[in-house]
Amino acid sequence: MAKTADGSYPTQLIAGDGEFNAPGLRDFINSVKLHECGLSYAVVAIMGPQSSGKSTLLNHLFYTNFREMDAFKGRSQTTKGVWIAKAVGIEPFTIVMDLEGTDGRERGEDDTTFEKQSALFALAVADIVIINMWCHDIGREQAANKPLLKTVFQVMMRLFSPRKTTLLFVIRDKTKTPFEYLEPILREDVQKIWETVHKPQAYKDTPLSEFFNVEVTALASYEEKEEQFKEQVAQLRQRFFHSLSPGGLAGDRRGVVPASGFSFSAEQIWKIIRENKDLDLPAHKVMVATVRCEEIANDKFRCLESDKDWLALEQAVKTGAVSGFGKSISSILKTYLSEYDVESAYFEEDVRKAKRQYLESKALQLVYPAYITLLGHLRANAFESFRTRLEKCLARGEGFAASVRRFQQSAMLEFDHGCSDAAIQQANWDASKVREKLHRDIEAHASVVRSEKLSELHAEFEKRLSGALSEPLESLFEAGAPDTWVSVRSLLKRETDAAASDFFSAVAGFELDQETVDKMLHDLKECARKLVERKSREEAGKVLIRMKDRFATVFNHDKDSMPRVWTGKEDIRAITKEASCESLKLLSTMAAVRLDDKPDTVENVLFSTLMDRTDTISSQSRDIGVSGDPLASSTWEEVPPEKTLITPVQCKALWRQFKAETEYTVTQAISAQEAYKRGNNWLPPPWAILAMIILGFNEFMLLLRNPLYLLVLFVTYLLGKAIWVQTDIPGMFRNGILAGLIALSTRFFPTVVNILSRLSAEGDDRETLASQQLTSQSFRKQTWQQPESVSSSVPDSSVSSVSTETGSEYSSPQVIKRRVSHEEEKKMS
C-alpha cells in the first residue's frame, strides 16, 4: 500500500494471479479507519475494456491515485488484478475498486476466467458498478460492451438471492450524436442482453429492474476536450455525495456488510469465487456476521478478563463479603456488552443477538465463581451473626425458642439483603440453595444448642437432686429406723416434685411439646430414683460397719445414753440380745430397695432365722418333721432381683461375721463384771471369820503378848504382797496350774533378790538426799543470804528429775537405781 498525499491509500487487493492480499487490506482498513463507519460506507467498482480510461476516470472522479496508462508507451495493460483506494472528499465514506480491464491481449482470447471471477467479486461487493464503454460501441453487435454485459449478467445468476446493484454506464468520448438518442439505444441493448442470458428457473421471468438500477451518463473525450471532460466529471462526482440516502445511487442496496466485517467478507467471497462455487450472499452475510460478532465477543471477553476493576473485585471477594458487588459487576458487564452492541450493531440481527448471548454467557461464567464465593461469605456472616446473638441472648437468660425465631429471621433477612446487593443485573441466578443451606445450618445449630442447654439443665437438676438427697439419705440409712424407707420415699417425692416444678418452669422457654416435656420429667424422676438406689447400694456396702456401730452404741450405753459400768447387776444376755436385734433391724432395712411401698418378709425371715433360730427349727420340726434354712437362697420372696441390695446368703454371712466380731465386746463386758465382783468381795464369809476367831484365839493372844511377832508378820505380808505384784501370780496360773508352778519357780528367787536390793538402795538414797539438801541450804545462805529454805526431805514418790535455777535437769540416784533394777528384772524374766 502506497500512502499518497491526498490520503487515498491505493492498495492492490487481488494480484494478477488471483492471490488475495489480506494483510494489505487490513492495513488499508486500519489506515483509512473503515471499521469505524458501521454501515455508512459505499463501495464503487469500475469495469470496462482494457485501456478504456478506467483509472483516469476514477482518479478525476474520486481524487484517487491509481496508475494510469502512458499513451506514449502504447496501449497495454496498466491495472493488473483488483486495486482499492479511498475516495477523497466524498461523504459518505466511499471505497473505490479498479478492476483489471476485459478483452486484454495479455490474457488472450480464451482466458476469461479471471474476468468472470473479478466481475462476480465486484457485483458481490460493490454497491455501484461503473460500466466504462466507448461511445462508438453503442448499437454495434460485436462491440466490446456486449461480452462485458453478458459476463456481468451471467455471473449475477451465480448469486443466490442477488442484491440490487446500481449499474452506472459511462459513455466515453461522446460524439455529436445527442445523448437522448444514445441512452435508449443503450438501454435497449442492455435489455436484449438480459433476455438472451440463460437464467435459472426461479429467475426466468424476473425483470432486469429487480436486480439492477440502470443509470447512464456520457463524458467528453479526455484527450480532445479535457476541460469539458473535467467539468462533466465534476458534475458526476456530485451524484456520489449522499449516495446512501433514499434516491441516491446506492440508496436501494440490500445485504450490506458492516464496515468492521468488510475485510473478512471480501476475503471469504473471493475464496468462494476462486473455488468456483456458487455464492450465497444471504448465507455469506450470516457467516460474516457470525465470524465477526464472535471475534468482537471474544475480544470483549478478553478485555473483561484483564479489567482492573473486575480483578480487584475478584480478589476482594476471596477475603470476605464486598458491598455493592452486584452493582459493580453489572456496571462492568454493561460496559463491555454496550461496546459489543456498538461494534456489532450493523451485522445480522439474529447472529448479533446470539453472539451477544454467547458473550454474556461467557462473562457470567467468569463472574459466577466470585458470586458463589460471595454468597458463601454472606451465608457464613449471617450464620455467625445468628450464633453470636443467640449466645449473648441465652447468657442473659432469655427464652430459647423466641430468641431462635427472632435471630433466625434477622439472619435470613441479612442474607436476603446481601443477596439483593450481590445480584447481577445481567444474570438471573437463584440463591435459594445457599439460602436453604443457611436455613439448615441455623436449624442444626439451634438443635445442637437446644440439646446442649437441655443437657446442661438436666445435669444441673441432677446435681441439685444429688445434693438434696445424698446427705439426708446417708443420715436416714445410718439411723436405720423402722420407718427408714417411709422417710426415704417421702424425701424422694418431696425433692423430685420440687425439682420437677422448677424444671418445668426452666424448660418453658424452649417451647417443647408436652410429650417431650413429660419424657424429660420422667427421666428426671427416674434419675432421682436411680440416685436413691445407687446411694442405697453404697450404704449397703457399709452395713457391717453400721451394724457393729449400732451394737456398740446399744450395748455400751443405757436408755439415757450414759456409758454402762459393769457392776455385776446388769443382764448382759438381755443387753446383748437387744443390741443384736437393733443391728439385725439395720440389716433388714438395708437388704432391699423399698421405693414402691410394697410389703415384704425380709425382716421376719431374718429375725426368725437368725435371732430365734432354735425356736424356729423346733417348731418347723414339729410341723413338717424337717429343718430348713430360709437364708440359703440368692433372692428374697416378693423382692425383685434388681431391688435386692443384700441377698439372703450374704445376710447370713454378714450376720456370722457380725457375731464373731462382737463376741469380744460381750466377753470383755463379762470379764469386767466378774473382775468388779472379785474386787468388791475380798472379805471371807462371816462363818469363816467366826471360825477363824474361835480357832485362832490362842495364836492371837500369843501375838498380843509378843509384839515382835506382829512386826515379823507385817514384814512378811509386805514381802509377800510385793512378790505377788511383781511376779503376777494370777497371770502365771491363767494357762494352767503346772505351767504356773514352773513359771513361779523360775521367777520367785530373782524377784525376792530384786526386792531386797531395791529396799537397800532406797535407804542409801534417802541418806544421800538428806545430806545434799543440807549442803544446798548452807550454800544458799552463804552466797545470797536468802531467807527461803528448801525442804530437807523428799518423799519416795517424788519425781525423778528436778529443775535447778540454771535450767539443768537433775536425776536422783534412787531413781537411777530403780531404773537399773527394773531393767535387770526384765532381763531375768
Side-chain angles (χ1 to χ4, degrees):
M1 179 183 67
K3 181 178 179 181
T4 57
D6 53 11
S8 63
Y9 297 94
T11 303
Q12 188 175 32
L13 181 61
I14 300 173
D17 58 358
E19 186 68 24
F20 191 89
N21 185 15
L25 177 58
R26 285 193 292 270
D27 292 342
F28 169 78
I29 291 175
N30 292 331
S31 299
V32 299
K33 299 180 180 181
L34 175 62
H35 55 275
E36 298 179 358
C37 295
L39 297 179
S40 299
Y41 76 100
V43 180
V44 178
I46 190 168
M47 301 171 61
Q50 179 178 314
S51 303
S52 61
K54 300 188 297 299
S55 299
T56 302
L57 174 60
L58 293 179
N59 290 340
H60 285 82
L61 185 61
F62 299 107
Y63 300 163
T64 55
N65 194 20
F66 291 118
R67 181 183 176 189
E68 300 178 6
M69 184 190 68
D70 189 354
F72 294 99
K73 294 182 179 181
R75 305 183 68 84
S76 63
Q77 187 181 43
T78 304
T79 303
K80 295 182 180 181
V82 179
W83 286 72
I84 189 173
K86 175 190 175 184
V88 179
I90 293 181
E91 292 294 337
F93 191 102
T94 301
I95 297 175
V96 180
M97 295 175 58
D98 189 6
L99 274 66
E100 178 181 324
T102 61
D103 196 22
R105 66 180 180 85
E106 286 80 6
R107 292 192 178 270
E109 182 179 356
D110 299 325
D111 189 8
T112 59
T113 302
F114 185 80
E115 295 179 4
K116 293 181 180 180
Q117 289 176 347
S118 60
L120 181 58
F121 178 77
L123 289 175
V125 173
D127 300 301
I128 304 170
V129 177
I130 300 176
I131 306 298
N132 194 52
M133 58 185 304
W134 298 110
C135 181
H136 56 263
D137 287 337
I138 296 175
R140 297 170 60 186
E141 187 66 25
Q142 299 300 324
N145 64 329
K146 292 290 182 72
L148 176 62
L149 289 178
K150 286 183 180 181
T151 299
V152 171
F153 294 153
Q154 286 175 355
V155 298
M156 177 61 72
M157 297 298 101
R158 293 180 58 186
L159 298 179
F160 290 178
S161 301
R163 64 176 190 168
K164 198 168 186 178
T165 306
T166 299
L167 292 181
L168 177 59
F169 289 88
V170 177
I171 301 173
R172 302 293 299 275
D173 296 346
K174 187 177 77 69
T175 61
K176 295 181 180 180
T177 305
F179 177 75
E180 290 78 8
Y181 295 116
L182 294 177
E183 181 179 3
I185 296 173
L186 179 59
R187 289 182 180 275
E188 183 179 353
D189 291 341
V190 171
Q191 185 64 37
K192 287 180 180 181
I193 297 173
W194 173 257
E195 292 175 355
T196 57
V197 170
H198 177 74
K199 295 183 285 294
Q201 187 65 30
Y203 303 113
K204 187 175 182 180
D205 298 328
T206 304
L208 176 66
S209 60
E210 183 70 20
F211 293 149
F212 297 103
N213 288 326
V214 178
E215 298 288 339
V216 181
T217 187
L219 297 177
S221 175
Y222 174 68
E223 296 178 355
E224 298 177 359
K225 301 177 181 179
E226 183 177 355
E227 294 299 327
Q228 185 180 359
F229 172 82
K230 292 180 178 179
E231 291 178 0
Q232 292 173 350
V233 168
Q235 295 176 0
L236 180 61
R237 175 183 172 87
Q238 295 300 319
R239 297 188 63 183
F240 286 92
F241 282 89
H242 308 294
S243 60
L244 302 181
S245 301
L249 288 178
D252 296 332
R253 66 178 183 167
R254 296 192 298 264
V256 63
V257 176
S260 60
F262 179 80
S263 174
F264 178 78
S265 176
E267 184 177 3
Q268 293 300 315
I269 289 174
W270 181 250
K271 180 179 179 181
I272 294 173
I273 293 173
R274 289 283 288 178
E275 292 174 356
N276 198 23
K277 296 180 180 179
D278 291 335
L279 181 61
D280 188 351
L281 290 181
H284 174 75
K285 179 181 177 183
V286 172
M287 183 268 292
V288 172
T290 301
V291 173
R292 279 299 301 149
C293 288
E294 186 170 346
E295 288 179 354
I296 296 171
N298 291 333
D299 180 62
K300 298 308 171 185
F301 181 75
R302 286 191 295 271
C303 294
L304 172 62
E305 285 182 316
S306 59
D307 187 271
K308 294 181 179 180
D309 294 337
W310 153 243
L311 294 176
L313 281 174
E314 184 182 29
Q315 190 64 31
V317 166
K318 293 179 180 179
T319 59
V322 178
S323 178
F325 175 84
K327 184 177 181 180
S328 300
I329 292 296
S330 299
S331 176
I332 294 173
L333 294 181
K334 184 178 180 180
T335 298
Y336 288 104
L337 290 175
S338 298
E339 292 178 1
Y340 169 85
D341 291 338
V342 171
E343 295 186 23
S344 64
Y346 305 110
F347 288 100
E348 187 70 20
E349 184 177 3
D350 293 337
V351 177
R352 176 170 52 85
K353 289 182 179 179
K355 294 305 176 180
R356 190 183 196 279
Q357 292 178 355
Y358 163 76
L359 172 61
E360 188 173 325
S361 176
K362 288 189 65 175
L364 293 178
Q365 288 178 5
L366 176 67
V367 174
Y368 187 72
Y371 175 77
I372 291 298
T373 303
L374 178 62
L375 290 186
H377 291 310
L378 294 176
R379 181 185 61 80
N381 293 343
F383 177 77
E384 184 64 22
S385 175
F386 168 80
R387 188 184 64 81
T388 304
R389 292 179 181 179
L390 183 61
E391 287 181 359
K392 293 181 180 179
C393 182
L394 295 180
R396 295 194 298 267
E398 299 183 14
F400 177 83
S403 300
V404 168
R405 282 197 303 272
R406 183 168 72 256
F407 296 133
Q408 182 179 10
Q409 183 179 5
S410 176
M412 299 307 292
L413 288 176
E414 179 182 347
F415 178 78
D416 291 341
H417 177 72
C419 289
S420 299
D421 183 68
I424 299 174
Q425 181 180 355
Q426 292 80 6
N428 189 24
W429 291 329
D430 186 10
S432 59
K433 290 185 178 180
V434 182
R435 192 178 193 277
E436 290 175 2
K437 188 177 187 311
L438 172 62
H439 189 271
R440 290 195 302 269
D441 291 345
I442 290 176
E443 289 292 337
H445 181 72
S447 178
V448 171
V449 174
R450 182 188 296 108
S451 299
E452 291 178 352
K453 294 299 179 181
L454 289 176
S455 298
E456 292 176 1
L457 195 61
H458 196 272
E460 179 184 349
F461 275 86
E462 284 185 5
K463 184 177 180 181
R464 170 180 166 180
L465 282 173
S466 178
L469 293 175
S470 295
E471 293 185 0
L473 285 173
E474 186 175 353
S475 177
L476 289 173
F477 289 135
E478 184 178 0
D483 60 345
T484 294
W485 284 106
V486 176
S487 301
V488 169
R489 288 192 293 271
S490 177
L491 173 67
L492 177 62
K493 186 177 185 307
R494 182 176 67 252
E495 294 298 334
T496 52
D497 289 346
S501 177
D502 294 342
F503 184 81
F504 183 81
S505 300
V507 300
F510 290 88
E511 297 181 4
L512 304 174
D513 57 275
Q514 189 61 39
E515 182 179 356
T516 303
V517 174
D518 293 341
K519 184 180 182 302
M520 297 182 71
L521 291 176
H522 179 267
D523 292 342
L524 185 63
K525 292 180 180 180
E526 283 298 317
C527 178
R529 287 177 66 89
K530 291 179 180 178
L531 175 64
V532 173
E533 293 179 2
R534 184 171 65 252
K535 194 65 179 177
S536 302
R537 295 187 186 278
E538 292 177 1
E539 294 298 323
K542 306 175 185 176
V543 67
L544 182 59
I545 299 174
R546 303 287 193 210
M547 290 171 63
K548 292 192 294 183
D549 292 343
R550 176 67 59 82
F551 180 86
T553 301
V554 176
F555 187 80
N556 294 322
H557 295 81
D558 57 16
K559 295 181 179 179
D560 297 329
S561 300
M562 296 300 294
R564 294 184 189 275
V565 178
W566 304 106
T567 62
K569 299 177 182 180
E570 297 81 11
D571 187 356
I572 293 181
R573 182 180 298 277
I575 295 173
T576 301
K577 185 175 182 180
E578 179 185 359
S580 297
C581 287
E582 292 297 326
S583 298
L584 192 58
K585 288 180 181 178
L586 180 60
L587 179 61
S588 66
T589 300
M590 299 306 303
V593 177
R594 300 177 178 89
L595 293 178
D596 297 329
D597 195 18
K598 294 181 180 180
D600 57 65
T601 59
V602 174
E603 185 174 354
N604 295 335
V605 171
L606 288 176
F607 271 86
S608 63
T609 305
L610 300 178
M611 292 299 299
D612 304 327
R613 185 173 181 78
T614 303
D615 298 338
T616 304
I617 294 174
S618 299
S619 62
Q620 290 178 353
S621 298
R622 289 193 299 269
D623 293 340
I624 61 176
V626 295
S627 62
D629 188 359
L631 297 182
S633 175
S634 60
T635 58
W636 299 100
E637 292 183 4
E638 303 175 354
V639 177
E642 64 272 8
K643 300 297 181 182
T644 301
L645 299 177
I646 308 173
T647 63
V649 176
Q650 292 172 341
C651 286
K652 186 176 182 180
L654 286 171
W655 184 255
R656 187 184 303 113
Q657 185 177 356
F658 166 76
K659 295 296 290 184
E661 294 183 6
T662 57
E663 183 178 358
Y664 177 75
T665 303
V666 177
T667 302
Q668 287 293 99
I670 295 174
S671 299
Q673 197 176 51
E674 291 177 355
Y676 185 84
K677 290 179 180 180
R678 289 195 303 268
N680 291 332
N681 296 335
W682 58 275
L683 293 175
W687 60 271
I689 294 175
L690 181 59
M692 290 175 63
I693 293 174
I694 294 173
L695 296 175
F697 181 75
N698 294 331
E699 289 77 3
F700 181 70
M701 293 305 293
L702 178 62
L703 292 176
L704 289 178
R705 292 190 187 99
N706 192 356
L708 182 60
Y709 289 153
L710 292 175
L711 178 60
V712 173
L713 290 174
F714 180 71
V715 172
T716 302
Y717 170 74
L718 292 178
L719 181 61
K721 184 70 175 177
I723 292 172
W724 179 276
V725 173
Q726 289 292 328
T727 57
D728 190 18
I729 292 176
M732 291 182 180
F733 287 92
R734 192 174 297 161
N735 297 324
I737 297 177
L738 181 60
L741 291 175
I742 294 173
L744 181 61
S745 64
T746 58
R747 296 187 62 183
F748 180 76
F749 289 105
T751 302
V752 172
V753 173
N754 186 28
I755 291 173
L756 293 176
S757 300
R758 290 174 63 185
L759 289 174
S760 175
E762 286 180 358
D764 294 341
D765 291 343
R766 189 176 290 109
E767 292 177 1
T768 303
L769 182 61
S771 63
Q772 288 178 353
Q773 288 177 350
L774 292 174
T775 304
S776 176
Q777 288 178 1
S778 62
F779 180 77
R780 289 176 183 175
K781 288 180 181 180
Q782 293 175 3
T783 306
W784 293 291
Q785 296 181 359
Q786 295 180 351
E788 300 178 357
S789 61
V790 180
S791 175
S792 61
S793 63
V794 179
D796 296 338
S797 61
S798 64
V799 294
S800 61
S801 62
V802 179
S803 298
T804 63
E805 294 177 357
T806 61
S808 63
E809 183 177 335
Y810 173 78
S811 299
S812 65
Q814 181 180 0
V815 175
I816 296 173
K817 289 180 179 180
R818 286 179 181 175
R819 292 176 180 173
V820 172
S821 62
H822 183 63
E823 292 176 358
E824 291 176 355
E825 181 181 354
K826 286 184 178 179
K827 291 178 181 179
M828 294 175 65
S829 61

